[in-house]
Amino acid sequence: MKSFAKYISKRLLFFAAFVIFLLLINLLAFGLVFQDSMSEDYGENSPKRMLEEVSEALTQDGLPDNVFEKLENNHIWAMLLDDNGNSIWAAFTPKEIPAAYSLQDVALFSKGYLQDYPVFTWNTENGLLVLGYPKDSYAKITDNYYSVRSVQRMPAYFFGTLLLDLLLLFLAYYFSKQKILKNTGPIVAAVETLSDGTPAHLSVNGELSAIAESINKTSEILSRQNDARANWISGVSHDIRTPLSMIMGYAEQLQSDTHLTDTERKMTAIIIKHSERIRNLVSDLNLASKLEYNMQPISVKQENAVAIVRQAAVDFINTDIYDKYPIEWLTDEELSACLIHADRDLLKRAISNLIQNCINHNENGCTIYVSVSIEQNNCVIRVEDNGIGASDEQIEKLNTAPHYMVCDTNTTEQRHGLGLLIVKQIVDSHNGTTYIEHSTFGGFAVKLKLPM
Amino acid sequence: MGSYLHNKKLLLVDDEPELLKMIASILYNDGFENIVTASTAADAISTAKNGSPDLVVLDVMLPDGDGFSVMREIREFTNVPVIFLTAKDEAEDKLAGLGLGADDYIVKPFLPLEFLLRVHAVLRRCYKEDSPMIQLEGCTVDFSRAEVNKAGEVIPLTAKEHTLLETLARNEGRIVTVDALCEALWGDNPFGYENSLNAHVRRVREKIETNPSKPVSLITIKGLGYKLNTRK
């Protein structure tokens, strides 16, 4: 979601550049459109140039031929008025143009039109030169005055408008961005949940309904596949249980048969030991797959972690008849309760797995140290042993490398049981963290940190 | 293991004849002599009705129905204790959620010893009136009268002391956590009762131990709980 917002912000720069580009385009278009009339207004035949040329060329003998022709070609008429308003020279003047003017006439036409001809005046030594351009060739502004205050306000108006425009543009940009984020937000979130492997569901309406629909469809396919996989594993493990019961049942009965030789009894013991391994594996496999595909119902309630861990430890002590794996309870006597939100059975399963892990990896026995403590508002559960432990490399791998069951690449490495994977899955489902470390007692240590 | 329980009549229900035979042989070898079997739901219900067993061991998966509905039907006419045999995928919470009041459930596959322990535990719990007395080192506890008989002297037990001793006796030889004991004495979510529990343990020791400062029957397992050693 964050990266998406960042992406949108990057567009802001592009947007600003685009506004500048737009202004340049406007200028260019202006230039192209008015190129012709520009030369008309300010070029060789413009009234100002014409007035200069005619006034310079005009003598007692009239106009030289070339200027005369130029006037004719451009359909311009001309006349020279003396101080009394009488025409003393004229060229191409239409009939309706009078030959004498009063002071008022001059004042009026000098600003605008004479008989609808746009006229332009120029003061020369000999009198007032008047050029008349064809009707409808020029527009004259007859009331061209501005108050000084208005003129003074011009720059402020100009820049103010520019700023206001930019502000409005930015607001338009900002709100459309917000709208896009609002519309795409749920979709981005859904895609992110999907990539975590959890199903997503979007309500299908609005402009982006097609995307929402295909995300829902994808999610459905994914969860169907996951369900099928989990059901398959659960079915297989179910079918293994009954035959395994028979093997274990008869093997144990055989073991107590007094007619067996020592070797036969040892063989039977091995059968029992390994059937138990299969049993653990089968139930681990099923639980691990259910946790992985979110099919394990987790019922979270307020629970006392101390009581759960204590029960898990006591269950092991009660079954360890030979006292080969003594458990030391290192929880502070003062700490009788540590309340967390947890699924009692799953949390107990995690602790049992950790204790079983110590037993599995230390065939010659070891002491197991179990403790619960409160550290920085977290419930911290430690299960450690003084057994053979693990190398730095192994611990690094256990902490970081994905387990083969949840890994998509083929691994040729030695495969471990599912015990620790289940612990991690359970701790994850409780929003906790699993730390695998060296124990200060010399062996292996696992620390679970669960939020209180 | 309490031989009086061996007279109890057991009904075993499973659709797998070989498994049925095996369970029967495990129980027979342990000393149970009164064993009947059934391999279908219908058979199980009629046997339960006519044979009036003292305990039913019931497989969840049966060819003509599931164990849960069989139990519901059995409950119509008797309160006989029921132990479920499950292949785990029937989910523990389903068992709990059904609220059928099964006395225990055993997950397949199981070791015979484990199976026997669970059967004995349920029988002991359900037919405890048959065994209201336990023998301890130096005294006898009579639960039906809530009395301790120590060296000819009769000492009465309070209600809490009775519950405490009874909980420990049910798990005889096994550690019971302080949490489980507090729950038995004071109900759900019993926090902060550790000191009261200590006081009760002290008073019980004065009643049952020959030398209360050096207990041999009611043992403390530091930090974890208590254990009751009975005299076999």
Side-chain angles (χ1 to χ4, degrees):
Chain A
M1 193 66 211
K2 240 181 196 164
S3 60
F4 191 70
K6 208 166 137 195
Y7 168 78
I8 290 277
S9 295
K10 261 188 198 162
R11 310 299 296 172
L12 181 62
L13 214 66
F14 171 80
F15 188 76
F18 181 73
V19 168
I20 292 169
F21 176 71
L22 206 67
L23 285 174
L24 287 176
I25 284 281
N26 287 355
L27 278 178
L28 191 68
F30 180 83
L32 281 174
V33 169
F34 294 99
Q35 198 181 22
D36 304 348
S37 38
M38 283 287 205
S39 61
E40 213 170 290
D41 292 355
Y42 303 102
E44 211 180 325
N45 299 327
S46 69
K48 193 176 174 229
R49 293 284 297 276
M50 216 54 169
L51 283 168
E52 274 174 3
E53 206 175 333
V54 172
S55 68
E56 264 165 37
L58 191 64
T59 58
Q60 294 290 330
D61 309 324
L63 277 176
D65 284 351
N66 60 333
V67 182
F68 201 76
E69 271 166 31
K70 207 168 174 181
L71 284 180
E72 190 179 12
N73 289 343
N74 289 304
H75 310 288
I76 303 167
W77 54 263
M79 64 179 178
L80 191 66
L81 301 183
D82 66 9
D83 294 348
N84 300 322
N86 297 319
S87 171
I88 48 172
W89 171 85
F92 312 118
T93 40
K95 280 192 260 18
E96 64 263 37
I97 300 298
Y101 300 88
S102 68
L103 202 59
Q104 289 97 316
D105 291 339
V106 175
L108 277 175
F109 77 65
S110 69
K111 266 185 77 185
Y113 302 87
L114 180 55
Q115 303 288 352
D116 290 342
Y117 292 94
V119 291
F120 303 91
T121 56
W122 189 262
N123 197 17
T124 68
E125 289 168 19
N126 305 320
L128 187 72
L129 175 65
V130 179
L131 290 188
Y133 275 69
K135 287 182 182 173
D136 297 329
S137 62
Y138 284 92
K140 292 195 73 180
I141 300 157
T142 46
D143 50 353
N144 55 343
Y145 61 86
Y146 298 99
S147 71
V148 173
R149 267 171 56 203
S150 297
V151 174
Q152 278 169 342
R153 278 179 190 168
M154 278 308 273
Y157 161 78
F158 183 74
F159 287 109
T161 320
L162 196 70
L163 274 179
L164 187 72
D165 285 355
L166 282 176
L167 185 72
L168 287 177
L169 270 175
F170 175 77
L171 282 179
Y173 164 82
Y174 179 78
F175 284 114
S176 69
K177 172 182 152 176
Q178 288 301 101
K179 182 140 190 288
I180 290 173
L181 276 182
K182 203 180 141 228
N183 284 343
T184 53
I187 292 176
V188 174
V191 172
E192 272 172 13
T193 20
L194 267 189
S195 66
D196 287 344
T198 23
H201 187 82
L202 287 167
S203 62
V204 181
N205 50 31
E207 301 155 47
L208 300 169
S209 61
I211 299 177
E213 212 166 311
S214 54
I215 285 176
N216 287 348
K217 218 173 267 173
T218 312
S219 162
E220 221 172 274
I221 291 170
L222 276 178
S223 35
R224 251 209 315 269
Q225 281 179 347
N226 287 347
D227 287 1
R229 203 167 353 193
N231 284 337
W232 189 81
I233 290 175
S234 137
V236 169
S237 69
H238 178 273
D239 290 349
I240 289 175
R241 285 169 199 278
T242 305
L244 199 57
S245 295
M246 310 284 298
I247 296 173
M248 288 172 74
Y250 283 123
E252 202 181 78
Q253 277 180 295
L254 258 186
Q255 206 187 20
S256 50
D257 189 332
T258 45
H259 302 302
L260 290 190
T261 65
D262 272 359
T263 331
E264 286 165 336
R265 221 188 303 277
K266 266 181 202 153
M267 288 179 185
T268 321
I270 291 172
I271 295 177
I272 294 173
K273 187 176 141 196
H274 288 276
S275 336
E276 278 185 77
R277 262 183 77 181
I278 297 177
R279 168 174 74 168
N280 293 341
L281 202 65
V282 162
S283 83
D284 280 355
L285 185 63
N286 199 16
L287 180 60
S289 105
K290 281 191 173 173
L291 285 168
E292 185 61 32
Y293 300 124
N294 299 307
M295 286 181 68
Q296 173 69 31
I298 296 177
S299 63
V300 172
K301 279 198 303 245
Q302 196 182 56
E303 298 282 3
N304 180 5
V306 180
I308 294 173
V309 178
R310 187 150 39 202
Q311 190 62 55
V314 163
D315 285 351
F316 271 91
I317 298 174
N318 282 337
T319 51
D320 182 24
I321 355 169
Y322 304 109
D323 214 19
K324 202 172 164 188
Y325 299 98
I327 294 182
E328 274 196 37
W329 180 253
L330 299 181
T331 305
D332 188 348
E333 294 266 352
E334 296 298 305
L335 184 70
S336 63
C338 174
L339 297 181
I340 56 170
H341 288 277
D343 182 308
R344 191 187 179 90
D345 294 335
L346 282 181
L347 186 59
K348 194 174 159 217
R349 175 66 180 265
I351 308 304
S352 303
N353 273 11
L354 290 178
I355 297 174
Q356 188 65 50
N357 204 40
C358 298
I359 295 171
N360 289 348
H361 290 95
N362 294 287
E363 281 205 24
N364 299 321
C366 65
T367 305
I368 300 166
Y369 305 86
V370 181
S371 73
V372 183
S373 58
I374 296 176
E375 289 170 21
Q376 287 149 3
N377 221 23
N378 282 303
C379 174
V380 176
I381 301 168
R382 284 191 176 80
V383 178
E384 312 179 39
D385 65 56
N386 61 357
I388 54 169
S391 68
D392 288 345
E393 204 184 37
Q394 285 169 316
I395 282 180
E396 170 70 20
K397 211 174 252 171
L398 284 171
N399 269 319
T400 52
H403 192 276
Y404 70 80
M405 197 182 144
V406 292
C407 178
D408 52 5
T409 50
N410 268 324
T411 158
T412 50
E413 282 165 43
Q414 197 203 339
R415 302 192 159 185
H416 297 281
L418 297 159
L420 270 179
L421 171 68
I422 290 177
V423 173
K424 280 188 188 176
Q425 287 171 324
I426 292 174
V427 172
D428 283 353
S429 70
H430 286 78
N431 302 317
T433 327
T434 311
Y435 303 90
I436 295 160
E437 299 164 346
H438 291 294
S439 168
T440 48
F441 300 101
F444 195 71
V446 180
K447 184 171 97 177
L448 312 181
K449 205 158 111 184
L450 299 163
M452 287 182 75
Chain B
M1 287 187 203
S3 60
Y4 73 96
L5 295 172
H6 285 144
N7 307 325
K8 297 292 171 201
K9 184 174 185 179
L10 310 184
L11 167 60
L12 313 179
V13 187
D14 201 301
D15 63 329
E16 193 78 42
E18 285 188 45
L19 190 78
L20 211 49
K21 216 163 118 192
M22 187 192 80
I23 301 173
S25 80
I26 291 169
L27 290 166
Y28 184 81
N29 289 345
D30 186 62
F32 288 95
E33 287 177 345
N34 209 347
I35 301 169
V36 285
T37 62
S39 50
T40 62
D43 201 6
I45 293 164
S46 70
T47 316
K49 206 172 232 163
N50 307 321
S52 51
D54 298 308
L55 174 73
V56 182
V57 178
L58 192 54
D59 186 15
V60 174
M61 299 269 267
L62 291 170
D64 56 339
D66 65 285
F68 302 126
S69 42
V70 171
M71 174 168 180
R72 224 174 279 127
E73 284 196 46
I74 289 179
R75 276 282 174 272
E76 304 267 308
F77 52 85
T78 170
N79 271 326
V80 62
V82 170
I83 297 179
F84 273 115
L85 268 186
T86 88
K88 187 90 171 186
D89 295 330
E90 288 92 17
E92 293 150 47
D93 40 77
K94 190 172 169 191
L95 283 161
L98 282 167
L100 290 170
D103 294 85
D104 201 356
Y105 58 85
I106 299 172
V107 175
K108 289 181 191 174
F110 47 83
L111 283 170
L113 205 60
E114 181 193 346
F115 177 71
L116 284 172
L117 278 173
R118 310 280 279 267
V119 168
H120 276 283
V122 170
L123 284 174
R124 230 183 359 250
R125 193 162 66 232
C126 297
Y127 300 100
K128 60 186 167 193
E129 67 270 24
D130 293 352
S131 152
M133 310 267 280
I134 52 165
Q135 297 283 328
L136 299 179
E137 194 65 49
C139 76
T140 314
V141 181
D142 184 340
F143 284 114
S144 61
R145 303 166 72 98
E147 280 173 2
V148 176
N149 201 318
K150 187 166 76 173
E153 187 191 356
V154 175
I155 312 161
L157 288 170
T158 66
K160 288 265 188 277
E161 290 163 359
H162 184 274
T163 312
L164 177 63
L165 262 180
E166 203 181 40
T167 310
L168 287 167
R170 229 182 3 248
N171 296 281
E172 170 257 305
R174 294 151 63 94
I175 304 167
V176 182
T177 65
V178 286
D179 317 283
L181 286 173
C182 285
E183 204 175 313
L185 263 58
W186 290 285
D188 274 347
N189 294 330
F191 306 131
Y193 281 104
E194 286 76 13
N195 289 336
S196 312
L197 180 67
N198 282 342
H200 283 289
V201 167
R202 222 169 25 244
R203 278 199 291 275
V204 168
R205 275 184 182 146
E206 275 162 17
K207 293 178 181 177
I208 63 168
E209 298 283 355
T210 315
N211 181 358
S213 52
K214 280 202 183 111
V216 291
S217 295
L218 207 176
I219 310 291
T220 304
I221 312 295
K222 196 170 173 294
L224 294 172
Y226 297 93
K227 182 163 90 169
L228 189 70
N229 290 326
T230 58
R231 218 173 59 196
K232 298 266 166 74

